[in-house]
Amino acid sequence: MIRVAVATFFVESGGVKLAVHERGHRDAPTILLVHGYPDTSATWDAVAEELASRFHVVTYDVRGAGESDRPRRKAAYKLVVLAADIRTVADAVSPHAPVHLVGHDWGSVQCWEAVTDPETQSRFASFTTISGPAIDHAAAWMHARRNLKGLPALLRQGMRSWYLALMQIPGFVPLMWRTWMTKTFAPTIRRVEGLPERDGWPAPTLAKDGARGVLLYRANVLSGMRSPRERRTTVPVQVVVPTGDRYISPKLATSDLAQWTDRLWVRRVNAGHWVQQKSPDGLAHAITDLVRHVEGEPESRALRRHRIKGAEVADRKDFTNQLVVVTGAGSGIGRETALAFGRLGAEVVIAELKADAGEQTAADLRAGGTTAHAYQVDVSDLASMEEFAKRVIADHGVPDIVVNNAGIGIAGRFLDTTAADWQRIVDINLLGVVHGCRLFGAAMAERLEGGYIVNVASAAAFTPSRMLSAYSATKAAVLSLSESIGAEFRDYGIGVSAICPGLVNTPITTSTHYVGVSADEEREAGLKMRKRYERRNYPPSKVADAIVKAVRDRKPVVPVTIEARGARFMSRLSPAFMRRLARVEVK
Ligand code: NAD
């Protein structure tokens, strides 16, 4: 990991010394990260590293934590005092320009206090809040749900807030930290939230931070809940909502929020409470998106997708503001899939071996008003796929949907199929799909916002045939791969579908390689096959519709065409029948 230089100094706020850490260049926009309980500024280290290449990044230990002073009086932890600390730090590190605030947990609660203060909100350019609603907003939310209809939401939040009662018992929580909690805290949180080990977190001051930080709760929660104030802000707010948060329900974090803000984005992420530990890169990305936009860049596609309130929300189609990658989109099913997602509002990226064919699909998409990009890619070539994934992510962002469609046919006897034939078909039909899943799946998982992967298999996956051993084997592997990674990718909110079409009228009939025959015989076999498929006349556009529906309905396995559905049914009802059918030699 590249280590960015960190300058540490102290500022004084109301007689309390606060330890401030500064990274990046002072001329760049300033991002001020405020930590929660029982953390210190160290919780931000990985996020700050990531942001520091582009921004001036500042963290500090809030009063009571880390290297900062630890006043003993409860009154020293009132929200107004904490908000004044934020302003003091902001004034020290960015005296002439407003700062972009990011708050987690109690850090976010403090930031809300600062950004909803009419006197000082102009000091803040934007606010990204994670798992820490304004106490006044939370109280208003609860008051509004003190009825039969609101009861379930209240109970759900109540079950997450059990610890608040313990915090109110004088001396209880400090005793816990002094006895067993300091040792068990990190291993427990890591296990429960699936967090990696990171240097420096939690800080060595954890016992003291936990014991003293309890005053945050005791000074603010009960009083704030009793009589909520109307707290609005003109500062643009992005809410990062960890859907697996054990302490703050997504409903509490987001419902009713639009009434308190002028501009609002809500970004759901697949993580628990400590998002900054789970995926610093993903969080840094979300923060960067908002900061860049507020600093004058056009709203990114991701931000547009998450926008709740602000500028006009255009008439949204199903896949508006989604980025869809389709491999093999120069022809047949891939081309129709690209066109279908384009019609539904998506931005489309085409990966195609035949550059002209890929460009043609992109041109047709553009003619229909879709933003489209074509890349020449060989899905079977790892380096080509790695370069492609890198460029897509850098130029257009992490895709929301990836359709691994590119594939080829090989037909004929197994004993006529050479090792080179096998290598080629495995490289394209199986490893091409593997590369797509791995490269884009990893980026989707890191981004934390989920996504969708569609792998185009075939009815051949469950229809054994003496004429299609190589093709069927690769397609059965793609089906199995899809079901296996579907189980794993679920953890990241990434859906996976395997599409299994039957006979679809596309140019694959004539491009299929027929083994064990002369060139003339191969041409003839291709023409025969084409005629058969033409008679069947199932258009690729219908497979494209099935792919779109699979994504919408999150369907894991989708046989398309009546013969595919029949084969799937029979393969379960009578595998012996399917084996007999496999003996038929189609000429
Ligand atoms: P197609 O030949 O019309 O389209 C395939 C596209 O993939 C072509 O544009 C081709 O240039 C591209 N391609 C091939 N190798 C590539 C590579 N290495 N890198 C990048 N692009 C590459 O065929 P289709 O019928 O539309 O097939 C699409 C997918 O559907 C394939 O995976 C195929 O196995 C599967 N499928 C087709 C049928 C059918 O009956 N047509 C049935 C079941 C499954």
Side-chain angles (χ1 to χ4, degrees), residues 482-504:
S482 307
E483 294 195 284
S484 298
I485 61 173
E488 180 181 335
F489 280 13
R490 231 176 155 268
D491 296 351
Y492 306 101
I494 304 168
V496 181
S497 290
I499 308 294
C500 304
L503 309 181
V504 184

Side-chain angles (χ1 to χ4, degrees), residues 331 333 352-353 377-379 405 456-457 471 475 501-502 504 506-507 533:
S331 165
I333 294 169
E352 170 59 60
L353 186 62
V377 183
D378 179 352
V379 296
N405 159 80
V456 180
Y471 184 74
K475 292 301 183 179
V504 184
T506 73
Y533 277 55

Side-chain angles (χ1 to χ4, degrees), residues 141 145 149-158 160 249 251:
W141 182 87
R145 278 159 188 78
K149 205 165 146 236
L151 202 61
L154 266 189
L155 285 176
R156 272 195 296 276
Q157 179 52 47
R160 287 173 154 94
S249 76
K251 282 230 155 65

Side-chain angles (χ1 to χ4, degrees), residues 327-335 351-354 357-358 375-381 384-385 404-409 424 427-429 432-433 455-460 471 474-475 499-509 511-512 533 538 540 543 560:
T327 69
S331 165
I333 294 169
R335 176 181 153 82
E352 170 59 60
L353 186 62
K354 296 180 189 143
Y375 292 81
Q376 184 177 18
V377 183
D378 179 352
V379 296
S380 68
D381 177 353
S384 166
M385 277 297 272
N404 291 304
N405 159 80
I408 57 159
R424 179 156 176 267
D427 281 351
I428 298 174
N429 286 13
V433 174
N455 295 330
V456 180
S458 165
Y471 184 74
T474 58
K475 292 301 183 179
I499 308 294
C500 304
L503 309 181
V504 184
N505 191 8
T506 73
I508 202 170
T509 47
S511 63
T512 291
Y533 277 55
Y538 194 90
V543 185
V560 188

Side-chain angles (χ1 to χ4, degrees), residues 62-341:
V62 304
R63 53 176 64 206
E67 304 306 318
S68 293
D69 285 349
R70 304 173 193 278
R72 290 170 177 277
R73 290 172 307 111
K74 194 167 85 173
Y77 294 87
K78 282 275 180 202
L79 278 175
V80 280
V81 181
L82 298 163
D85 288 352
I86 293 177
R87 283 192 300 273
T88 304
V89 177
D91 289 344
V93 295
S94 176
H96 306 300
V99 303
H100 297 270
L101 274 183
V102 178
H104 174 246
D105 184 88
W106 264 99
S108 167
V109 178
Q110 299 167 44
C111 290
W112 270 114
E113 182 72 20
V115 298
T116 54
D117 181 341
E119 297 292 308
T120 55
Q121 47 186 265
S122 60
R123 285 294 292 123
F124 307 106
S126 76
F127 174 33
T128 294
T129 155
I130 312 146
S131 292
I135 293 230
D136 300 288
H137 297 166
W141 182 87
M142 288 188 182
H143 283 257
R145 278 159 188 78
R146 286 197 307 202
N147 51 45
L148 212 55
K149 205 165 146 236
L151 202 61
L154 266 189
L155 285 176
R156 272 195 296 276
Q157 179 52 47
M159 277 157 67
R160 287 173 154 94
S161 305
W162 53 268
Y163 63 95
L164 289 180
L166 299 182
M167 298 288 190
Q168 301 303 327
I169 306 171
F172 177 74
V173 173
L175 181 70
M176 293 292 103
W177 283 110
R178 271 198 296 274
T179 49
W180 58 275
M181 247 168 41
T182 305
K183 268 214 177 90
T184 55
F185 174 78
T188 310
I189 297 290
R190 280 198 193 105
R191 183 170 41 76
V192 173
E193 302 226 339
L195 304 179
E197 294 233 1
R198 285 187 201 282
D199 285 353
W201 185 84
T205 48
L206 177 65
K208 289 189 210 160
D209 303 334
R212 189 51 53 85
V214 76
L215 291 179
L216 292 165
Y217 293 86
R218 304 201 52 216
N220 298 298
V221 174
L222 289 182
S223 53
M225 285 292 163
R226 257 181 243 123
S227 45
R229 303 159 298 169
E230 292 237 332
R231 301 288 280 188
R232 295 185 42 75
T233 184
T234 53
V235 176
V237 176
Q238 165 172 243
V239 191
V240 173
V241 186
T243 50
D245 197 320
R246 286 183 161 73
Y247 314 101
I248 306 287
S249 76
K251 282 230 155 65
L252 173 62
T254 56
S255 321
D256 308 346
L257 208 53
Q259 65 181 306
W260 309 118
T261 57
D262 287 351
R263 295 170 76 194
L264 177 67
W265 294 262
V266 173
R267 193 187 285 256
R268 286 168 202 280
V269 296
N270 215 277
H273 188 67
W274 272 273
V275 189
Q276 69 275 32
Q277 295 296 323
K278 173 95 177 180
S279 175
D281 290 3
L283 183 57
H285 210 90
I287 295 166
T288 302
D289 252 5
L290 181 63
V291 172
R292 280 193 168 152
H293 175 50
V294 170
E295 291 290 329
E297 284 190 20
E299 205 177 15
S300 69
R301 188 179 344 86
L303 266 190
R304 288 200 302 272
R305 202 169 57 241
H306 301 306
R307 191 200 310 134
I308 303 293
K309 198 180 165 203
E312 279 301 292
V313 174
D315 202 12
R316 287 192 185 179
K317 296 182 188 164
D318 259 39
F319 293 95
T320 298
N321 295 326
Q322 304 234 2
L323 185 68
V324 181
V325 171
V326 186
T327 69
S331 165
I333 294 169
R335 176 181 153 82
E336 292 300 328
T337 303
L339 295 175
F341 277 114

